[in-house]
Amino acid sequence: MEAGPSNRQDDALRYNCVCTKHNFGRPHLVSLATWYRHLQGASSDDERHVGKNPPRSPTPPPDTPCTPAPPQSPPHFPAPPPSPPHSPHPPQVLLDSPTPPLPPPPRPEIDIEALELSATFQPMLDTMSFIQALRSASTTDPVTKLSDDALDRLRNPPNVPLLIDNPGVRHSISTYLALEHASQAAYEGVCRSSKHNFMGAPGAEDVLSFHNVEKLISIHTGVEPLLHNMCPNTCHAFTGPFSNLDECYICQTSRWNEQKLQGSNRRVKVPAQQFTTIPVGSQLQARNRSPDSARDMRYLWERTQTSLG
């Protein structure tokens, strides 16, 4: 920082500050209080040393009127050195010794049984019940709701292509798949139109209803939807420790359709809402029966081998 007295008419600007934080190190006139504040906020010891020991500038005579400070020339920055010529080979970096990778941290040993016994908070008890159910889960658990036929097909999948010769059945399946995102009424309407307009054609009388085509697809593919009751407000499913509840423990909404429950004097219990799970195992087995879809499932492996080879 460089101090220099000025005329009393411009007493507010009387010190030349050369800090790097303000005006990029170029001298600029500041007041005494600002000069001290800039000195305390210096970014390095060298800058603070320059600020405490500034070179004295010539002081104008007392009777000389105040003149503006001469304009400061911009600082001169040397040109950067020329870059070396481009080499097609990257420089070789020599390392003294390769650093071995750090070993993975040891896995913590958690006693699930002791943790379950120590839990006292109800949400923690429910969580531990779900963890224990997952540890002992199997395809034969009642909660999975897999039929005997589905379990047998899952353990002994068919390995021959599926052939359907009946044109009416093929038309029903193709229509069902084409109207995947349409309503049941749309499928029934297309089937009625096909029977009426193609009356007497081979297979016209074999067009299946919506329920029958779904059942046939399930038989041929082995893919069965698993339905579980859930809270109508999607709070939780009635599985695990919540299997025997008649209402949601979060919002207290009834698990059952109240209209049918009250109409049957609480004897008929129809779930108010269910969610659907499609097992992935049966889907993969069904795709493996077709040569085209089985070949498509090898795409990632074949492309990986081609890239690595």
Side-chain angles (χ1 to χ4, degrees):
M1 306 289 181
E2 186 176 4
S6 65
N7 195 297
R8 291 183 179 179
Q9 296 177 357
D10 194 15
D11 191 52
L13 297 176
R14 52 183 179 180
Y15 283 85
N16 285 326
C17 177
V18 292
C19 63
T20 58
K21 183 177 180 181
H22 301 276
N23 209 28
F24 305 100
R26 290 175 290 186
H28 53 285
L29 299 177
V30 296
S31 64
L32 178 61
T34 303
W35 182 79
Y36 275 114
R37 187 169 64 254
H38 289 187
L39 179 62
Q40 294 176 358
S43 59
S44 63
D45 294 338
D46 295 338
E47 183 180 346
R48 193 174 293 105
H49 178 74
V50 172
K52 290 182 178 179
N53 302 280
R56 290 292 180 179
S57 58
T59 304
D63 56 348
T64 304
C66 178
T67 58
Q72 302 292 335
S73 60
H76 174 70
F77 299 98
S83 58
H86 176 69
S87 174
H89 303 287
Q92 299 293 330
V93 179
L94 300 179
L95 300 178
D96 297 337
S97 59
T99 304
L102 296 177
R107 297 181 59 183
E109 296 182 0
I110 301 176
D111 190 345
I112 299 297
E113 286 73 13
L115 186 61
E116 183 180 13
L117 294 176
S118 63
T120 57
F121 191 45
Q122 186 60 43
M124 182 63 69
L125 292 173
D126 297 336
T127 301
M128 297 306 303
S129 299
F130 278 112
I131 291 176
Q132 292 289 14
L134 289 174
R135 292 183 66 188
S136 58
S138 67
T139 55
T140 58
D141 288 341
V143 70
T144 59
K145 298 184 178 181
L146 286 173
S147 64
D148 294 337
D149 294 338
L151 283 174
D152 181 69
R153 182 185 289 266
L154 194 62
R155 294 164 179 167
N156 306 287
N159 52 12
V160 294
L162 177 64
L163 298 177
I164 300 177
D165 298 331
N166 192 308
V169 175
R170 289 203 307 268
H171 176 72
S172 302
I173 295 176
S174 60
T175 303
Y176 177 86
L177 297 178
L179 300 178
E180 177 184 3
H181 301 291
S183 63
Q184 178 178 346
Y187 173 84
E188 297 289 357
V190 172
C191 290
R192 285 194 302 268
S193 176
S194 301
K195 289 181 179 181
H196 177 75
N197 294 319
F198 298 98
M199 186 179 302
E205 297 299 327
D206 298 326
V207 175
L208 303 175
S209 65
F210 186 85
H211 173 74
N212 289 336
V213 72
E214 279 194 333
K215 185 177 180 180
L216 182 65
I217 291 175
S218 177
I219 293 174
H220 285 319
T221 61
V223 179
E224 293 185 2
L226 306 180
L227 301 177
H228 294 85
N229 299 348
M230 64 179 295
C231 171
N233 296 324
T234 67
C235 297
H236 64 81
F238 292 99
T239 59
F242 309 141
S243 300
N244 299 323
L245 297 181
D246 288 329
E247 62 180 21
C248 174
Y249 88 101
I250 295 178
C251 65
Q252 285 74 49
T253 302
S254 176
R255 173 179 180 173
W256 313 110
N257 186 317
E258 284 296 325
Q259 183 178 0
K260 296 183 179 180
L261 187 65
Q262 298 296 336
S264 63
N265 197 17
R266 308 191 68 84
R267 288 193 301 268
V268 178
K269 294 184 177 181
V270 178
Q273 188 166 344
Q274 293 180 311
F275 73 92
T276 305
T277 302
I278 307 295
V280 66
S282 55
Q283 297 182 63
L284 296 177
Q285 290 177 355
R287 291 184 60 85
N288 198 46
R289 293 187 65 181
S290 170
D292 295 335
S293 57
R295 190 180 303 109
D296 292 341
M297 289 194 296
R298 290 175 55 89
Y299 173 80
L300 177 61
W301 184 86
E302 292 176 351
R303 296 298 298 175
T304 303
Q305 297 303 314
T306 302
S307 301
L308 295 179

